[in-house]
């Protein structure tokens, strides 16, 4: 959360687990980019927080394509807090700071509520630190989605202390206890409440630390920063941090121009698949507005098990009827042992309710309604369950192999897929 926001809520996830330190027992630790005051009981954790922050700052600068000079005078005064009342009484939280459920940033000062896991406390400290850096570098952090999304992006990390690597999706749920971003996104998916990309861009600043809002803002920033063709526009947008109104989005949209519908299509796929271990290098989907319309001739494609969704390279016209057949063998190098699979999948090993190794397809509509607040979930089918397809609207036809998120890198082989006009 950031100073420019109105904050009404007080919903909290933190708990006062340990007895607070006595008045003279606040821990103070000084680093290169952070001066930390805290009542957490563990000096080791406090030192780890300082080392993590100091490791993150040069990576943030690199992310924004700036030189080290940009942070020569950057240093935050940070409070990591268990007993907020005590910090209030000591005058360590000025009365001008609104009630905050997780954290708050005001220029070079940040306040963070200690959480039930070190990972989550560290995440929030980094998150508020990104806000503070945005003030320092850009005089602000842009509209809500950009402000919170970029803070989430650059706070999400693997490792800790000097080994902290920012902008890394945790590999496993156990690596990030209580952080809960994917859990909340999964709930939204279940209840059909996944926002459209444009709805995220329109988020209003009256946040109450709502995890869903933060998570989708993060996802939007991931899509924009992970695809090389959007990245420079995204990084450049940060320079406009002072703008919090619609002109910020308009400028970004105009710099991405015709890529916007492709971005919206990729958004739908990412929302379907994002989870622990998600690897953007393998999950970038090759789509283009210039993909030719399918002329009905036979298509052959190789579908690899070490990549996410793979397009057959054409757009399928509305009303087309197609038949898909597939053959081949792949190896999924999953623990405790590798599995060999054919297109129907391994029917005694399941992922997301379907056989592991199953060849799947989905139809991804070319068009999307820019006014829609929510997106329809993509429908995924097993090729062997549904080899004949009636195409209801102009769509890309995509394939992938069913495997756990984050387990693609050691998969081998491919399926040969043949697409024909149905007779
Ligand atoms: Zn924030």
């Amino acid at each position: 959360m950031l100073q420019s926001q109105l904050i009404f809520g007080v919903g909290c996830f933190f708990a006062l687990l340990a007895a607070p330190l006595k008045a003279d027992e606040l821990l103070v630790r000084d680093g290169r980019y952070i001066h930390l005051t805290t009542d957490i009981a563990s000096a080791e954790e406090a030192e780890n927080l300082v080392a993590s922050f100091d490791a993150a700052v040069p990576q943030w600068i690199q992310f924004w394509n700036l030189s080290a000079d940009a942070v020569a005078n950057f240093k935050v005064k940070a409070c990591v807090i268990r007993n907020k009342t005590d910090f209030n009484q000591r005058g360590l939280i000025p009365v001008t700071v609104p009630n905050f459920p997780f954290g708050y940033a005001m220029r070079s000062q940040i306040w963070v509520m200690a959480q039930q896991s070190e990972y989550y406390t560290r995440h929030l400290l980094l998150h508020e630190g990104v806000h503070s850096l945005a003030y320092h570098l850009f005089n602000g952090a842009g509209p809500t989605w950009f402000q919170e999304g970029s803070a989430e992006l650059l706070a999400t990390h693997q490792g800790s202390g000097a080994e902290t690597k920012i902008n890394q999706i945790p590999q496993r749920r156990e690596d990030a206890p209580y952080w809960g971003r994917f859990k909340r996104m999964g709930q939204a998916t279940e209840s059909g409440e996944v926002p459209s990309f444009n709805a995220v861009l329109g988020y209003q600043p009256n946040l109450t630390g709502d995890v869903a809002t933060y998570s989708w803002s993060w996802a939007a920033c991931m899509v924009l920063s992970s695809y090389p063709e959007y990245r420079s526009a995204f990084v450049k947008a940060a320079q406009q941090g002072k703008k919090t109104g619609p002109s910020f989005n308009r400028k970004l949209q105009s710099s991405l121009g015709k890529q916007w519908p492709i971005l919206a299509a990729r958004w739908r796929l990412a929302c379907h698949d994002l989870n622990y271990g998600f690897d953007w290098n393998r999950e970038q989907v090759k789509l283009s507005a210039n993909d030719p319309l399918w002329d009905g001739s036979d298509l052959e494609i190789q579908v690899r098990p070490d990549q996410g969704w793979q397009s057959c390279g054409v757009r399928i016209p509305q009303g087309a009827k197609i038949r898909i057949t597939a053959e081949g063998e792949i190896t999924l190098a999953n623990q405790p042992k590798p599995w060999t699979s054919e297109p129907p999948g391994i029917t005694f090993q399941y992922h997301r309710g379907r056989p592991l190794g199953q060849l799947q397809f989905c139809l991804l509509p070319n068009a999307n309604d820019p006014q829609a607040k929510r997106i329809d979930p993509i429908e995924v089918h097993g090729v062997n369950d549904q080899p004949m397809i009636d195409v209801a609207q102009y769509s890309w036809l995509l394939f992938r192999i069913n495997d756990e998120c984050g387990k693609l890198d050691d998969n081998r082989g491919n399926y040969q897929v043949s697409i024909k006009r149905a007779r």
Side-chain angles (χ1 to χ4, degrees), residues 361-383:
F361 76 87
C362 76
L363 286 165
L364 182 66
N366 296 157
N368 72 90
D369 174 5
Q371 305 301 326
K373 289 271 171 258
R374 297 194 174 142
I375 54 170
D376 295 326
I378 58 167
E379 286 181 31
V380 177
H381 305 277
V383 164

Side-chain angles (χ1 to χ4, degrees), residues 158 188 269 330 377:
Q158 291 178 10
L269 293 171
I330 57 165

Side-chain angles (χ1 to χ4, degrees), residues 192-257:
E193 288 172 347
V194 178
S196 67
F197 197 79
N198 283 347
V200 174
L201 265 53
Y203 279 154
Q204 293 303 301
N206 55 346
L207 299 180
T208 55
D210 173 52
V211 172
T213 305
Y214 281 36
S215 301
W216 298 120
S217 298
W218 170 51
C221 290
M222 276 196 284
V223 171
L224 285 166
S225 61
S226 300
Y227 280 93
E229 57 266 51
Y230 311 141
R231 191 182 174 96
S232 66
F234 178 79
V235 168
K236 214 168 157 194
Q239 304 277 352
Q240 315 244 355
K242 222 174 165 184
K243 294 183 182 157
T244 55
S247 66
F248 182 100
N249 287 347
R250 270 202 303 273
K251 181 139 193 192
L252 180 71
Q253 263 162 317
S254 74
S255 65
L256 292 171

Side-chain angles (χ1 to χ4, degrees), residues 239-382:
Q239 304 277 352
Q240 315 244 355
K242 222 174 165 184
K243 294 183 182 157
T244 55
S247 66
F248 182 100
N249 287 347
R250 270 202 303 273
K251 181 139 193 192
L252 180 71
Q253 263 162 317
S254 74
S255 65
L256 292 171
K258 285 186 179 160
Q259 304 192 58
W260 210 253
I262 303 291
L263 209 161
R266 286 168 166 166
W267 170 252
R268 282 181 75 172
L269 293 171
C271 291
H272 181 265
D273 292 324
L274 270 171
N275 214 328
Y276 292 97
F278 189 87
D279 180 352
W280 279 104
N281 291 321
R282 294 179 184 277
E283 297 279 355
Q284 287 177 30
V285 189
K286 290 197 179 77
L287 299 176
S288 166
N290 300 324
D291 287 338
L293 214 52
W294 184 47
D295 61 5
S297 58
D298 295 357
L299 294 174
E300 302 280 334
I301 68 160
Q302 315 270 321
V303 179
R304 293 168 55 168
D306 62 350
Q307 301 292 315
W309 288 106
Q310 297 155 62
S311 168
C312 61
V314 294
R315 294 179 300 118
I316 311 287
Q318 183 177 1
K321 292 182 193 305
I322 55 183
R323 187 164 64 87
I324 310 174
T325 52
E327 56 183 27
E329 196 176 273
I330 57 165
T331 306
L332 302 173
N334 288 15
Q335 296 299 327
K337 65 168 194 164
W339 301 97
T340 301
S341 177
E342 293 179 4
I346 303 159
T347 52
F348 51 89
Q349 285 288 318
Y350 282 77
H351 168 62
R352 283 181 113 168
R354 294 164 189 274
L356 203 69
Q358 182 187 58
L359 176 66
Q360 303 179 322
F361 76 87
C362 76
L363 286 165
L364 182 66
N366 296 157
N368 72 90
D369 174 5
Q371 305 301 326
K373 289 271 171 258
R374 297 194 174 142
I375 54 170
D376 295 326
I378 58 167
E379 286 181 31
V380 177
H381 305 277

Side-chain angles (χ1 to χ4, degrees), residues 1-2 5 103-105 127-128 131 147-149 151-152 207 214:
M1 224 171 263
L2 190 55
Q5 292 174 350
Y104 194 71
H127 174 114
E128 299 305 330
H131 286 329
Q147 173 181 296
E148 299 309 332
E152 287 288 283
L207 299 180
Y214 281 36

